[in-house]
Amino acid sequence: MAFVLKKSSKACQVTLLQSSATFEYQKRSGKHVLVDIPYSHMLAAEVVGPTCTEVYSSRSYSVTLHYVKSLSNNRLRVSSLEVQSDFDKCTNLAKQLEEQMTVTERPKRLVVIINPNSGKKRAEKVFKTKVQPVFSLCGIHSTVIVTSAPKEASELLQTLDLADVDGVVTVGGDGLYYEVMNGLLLRTQKDHGVNADDPEAEIIPTDIPIGIIPAGSGDWVVQYLHGTRDVITSALHVVLGKTSLTNAVSVHQGGKLSAYAGLVLGFGLQGDIMNDCEKFRWMGPSRYSVVPVSTVLSRQAFDVEVEYQDDVTGDVKRISDQMYGVDTYIISKGEQGDKLVPVFGDSALSVYMSSKCSLGKHVQQLSDLKENKAGCSLSISRLSACGYDMPFVLALIKLWL
């Protein structure tokens, strides 16, 4: 299907293909331009008519197509293209484009949960100035909830009416994502009659996707997911509606569910670092660069026994030794060239154990791990070289990709 309209007084042919629309025209300089926009990247098509101060003509109407444009460093932005013609032709083109956009299932009603204390305490402003305009452009209705206390989001989602909700969006850091994930999973287990305190019970996954708008100190989940902490990029991933599966695991102690975890479980040094960083939240993101130095210098080894099932042989194995830490990556990491890259929805956990070694070797290993260098665990001898994949019962959580 093809339409002939005008762009800057020059003829513009719009052709609707199977998976995209092309806009072909000449600039005033005479340069030929061909713009190919996939339907999957389109956001909205608006028809604008003449104002009361304009003189009516056959080209007084216009169609503005808003779409997603990819920039460098994995960032996305809203771009627009406008063409002019008469009322009938503009409304017909806009209708055809909107019909193609609806082929992909996209959210229309969202619950947005904001943690005003995340990161630099700008979450509310970030949503109002950067995210809400994008949602409004795409016709998304947002029910906004601003939390006032820890765990409020988790508790709220266990009772909130979610019947007509297409997803839950967090505006904050990894901690808010963690709360929302726990709330949705606890709600799902209750709805299905599953005893969440039973460590042998299979976790029933929630079918409500979670979107993450970064406004925290670390924002590691969204960085792993999108390759950037850019706010508008995250908002656009939500409105486009494509989802990715990620893992969640249950943590039990003393016959009770402690929590569902979705990023990393740190026992030993990593746990101490996170605990110490929480004491200095007033420092903001800089605490992650300052506080760990003191924690590493005061590191302590402890006796640990790890039992796991080999993912190749299926044999149950045990390791006993003195270690500084056992770090379990729920969003596992796989080697890609000389880098470690996150693997979403993996069938296994990645576990790294740091046995006793010199301070210099330990600092080097931690530095390599921070830089996601492949084989980084080899910089510490003996058990630190172990990166076992451990099969486990998991819940797959939907994230907007």
Side-chain angles (χ1 to χ4, degrees), residues 23 75 111 129 147 154 211 221 305:
F23 295 76
R75 294 173 300 150
V111 172
T129 61
T147 62
S154 178
V221 177
E305 182 175 291

Side-chain angles (χ1 to χ4, degrees), residues 171 187 230 271 302 306 319 326 347 359:
V171 186
R187 167 77 169 269
D230 182 69
F302 54 91
V306 177
I319 295 176
V326 178
S347 60
L359 178 61

Side-chain angles (χ1 to χ4, degrees), residues 14-29:
V14 183
T15 306
L16 305 187
L17 305 174
Q18 184 174 357
S19 59
S20 66
T22 61
F23 295 76
E24 193 169 1
Y25 60 94
Q26 280 189 330
K27 290 186 175 182
R28 292 178 179 175
S29 62

Side-chain angles (χ1 to χ4, degrees), residues 61-304:
Y61 286 82
S62 65
V63 178
T64 301
L65 176 62
H66 304 282
Y67 62 97
V68 175
K69 184 176 182 179
S70 298
L71 304 180
S72 60
N73 299 324
N74 300 307
R75 294 173 300 150
L76 303 177
R77 285 293 180 271
V78 178
S79 191
S80 301
L81 190 151
E82 181 182 335
V83 291
Q84 301 85 32
S85 190
D86 58 44
F87 174 78
D88 289 338
K89 193 171 289 186
C90 285
T91 53
N92 189 20
L93 174 59
K95 179 182 177 182
Q96 296 296 328
L97 292 173
E98 289 282 1
E99 287 179 355
Q100 293 297 334
M101 293 180 220
T102 58
V103 172
T104 303
E105 187 174 344
R106 296 182 181 181
K108 289 300 179 184
R109 298 184 65 85
L110 297 172
V111 172
V112 178
I113 300 180
I114 302 174
N115 179 1
N117 294 316
S118 291
K120 297 181 180 179
K121 300 185 178 182
R122 297 175 182 171
E124 287 184 88
K125 183 177 180 181
V126 163
F127 177 73
K128 290 178 181 178
T129 61
K130 295 186 176 182
V131 180
Q132 198 164 38
V134 174
F135 285 2
S136 297
L137 173 67
C138 300
I140 295 175
H141 173 75
S142 303
T143 299
V144 180
I145 300 170
V146 180
T147 62
S148 58
K151 299 185 179 180
E152 182 181 349
S154 178
E155 294 169 357
L156 178 68
L157 287 171
Q158 293 176 54
T159 58
L160 191 68
D161 183 4
L162 300 174
D164 297 321
V165 171
D166 297 320
V168 178
V169 173
T170 68
V171 186
D174 293 320
L176 184 58
Y177 161 69
Y178 160 85
E179 284 193 31
V180 167
M181 180 194 69
N182 270 264
L184 290 175
L185 282 176
L186 287 168
R187 167 77 169 269
T188 304
Q189 308 321 297
K190 182 179 179 180
D191 290 348
H192 287 79
V194 175
N195 179 12
D197 289 324
D198 180 4
E200 301 298 326
E202 181 177 351
I203 306 173
I204 305 298
T206 175
D207 59 358
I208 298 178
I210 302 173
I212 306 174
I213 305 299
S217 300
D219 300 315
W220 291 108
V221 177
V222 79
Q223 286 192 73
Y224 288 162
L225 189 65
H226 300 148
T228 178
R229 295 174 67 184
D230 182 69
V231 170
I232 294 177
T233 298
S234 296
L236 289 172
H237 278 294
V238 170
V239 301
L240 290 177
K242 186 179 179 182
T243 59
S244 174
L245 296 177
T246 190
N247 296 337
V249 300
S250 57
V251 181
H252 290 81
Q253 296 183 87
K256 292 285 186 179
L257 175 72
S258 295
Y260 294 103
L263 178 57
V264 64
L265 288 171
F267 183 72
L269 181 63
Q270 286 287 0
D272 291 341
I273 288 174
M274 296 309 298
N275 183 63
D276 291 346
C277 284
E278 281 300 297
K279 300 175 184 177
F280 293 87
R281 289 192 66 87
W282 57 268
M283 294 177 62
S286 63
R287 68 185 185 274
Y288 292 115
S289 300
V290 177
V291 176
V293 175
S294 174
T295 309
V296 170
L297 291 175
S298 60
R299 64 193 179 130
Q300 293 183 355
F302 54 91
D303 294 324
V304 64

